[in-house]
Amino acid sequence: MTSTDTTGQDAPRYVRLSIELIAEITDEQALKAAALQQVTADEYLDDDERAQSVEAIEVDPSGSLAHFIDPVALLGDVPGVELASATWESAQTEFDPEGEWDEYTVEESAE
């Protein structure tokens, strides 16, 4: 991806987007079932990746939620932008809806 800067020279421009979401899981069993269905239907996962995904789903609801994160969907329809790289993680957290967002603490991490 290249674009013309103000000096007229072509140079790649990369922008790091940091997005933080806190989701409340209201039906853990429905989330788990949907995640397992998605993993089962994913034709791009090899057997080892599928087994790791199923294990993450079984252990923690944040592992289930991670299977629904699609960074390509966030930028796929934006003209003039190509996704260069994406990473994300999901983790259970303490959250006070009345408090400040920067006051939460991450308890456990899973992808």
Side-chain angles (χ1 to χ4, degrees), residues 4 7-8 13 17-18 20-21 29 36-37 50-51 54 57-58 63 66 74 77-78 80 89-90 94-95 102 109:
T4 305
T7 63
R13 294 189 183 187
L17 298 173
S18 297
E20 187 168 304
L21 304 170
Q29 292 306 318
L36 287 170
Q37 181 179 10
R50 193 176 318 280
V54 168
I57 291 167
E58 295 290 342
L74 290 173
D77 293 333
V78 178
E89 69 179 15
S90 59
E94 293 180 20
F95 178 68
D102 61 350
S109 187

Side-chain angles (χ1 to χ4, degrees), residues 6-28:
T6 56
T7 63
Q9 296 179 350
D10 286 340
R13 294 189 183 187
Y14 298 95
V15 175
R16 179 181 308 271
L17 298 173
S18 297
I19 300 171
E20 187 168 304
L21 304 170
I22 295 179
E24 178 183 2
I25 297 173
T26 59
D27 187 338
E28 187 173 334

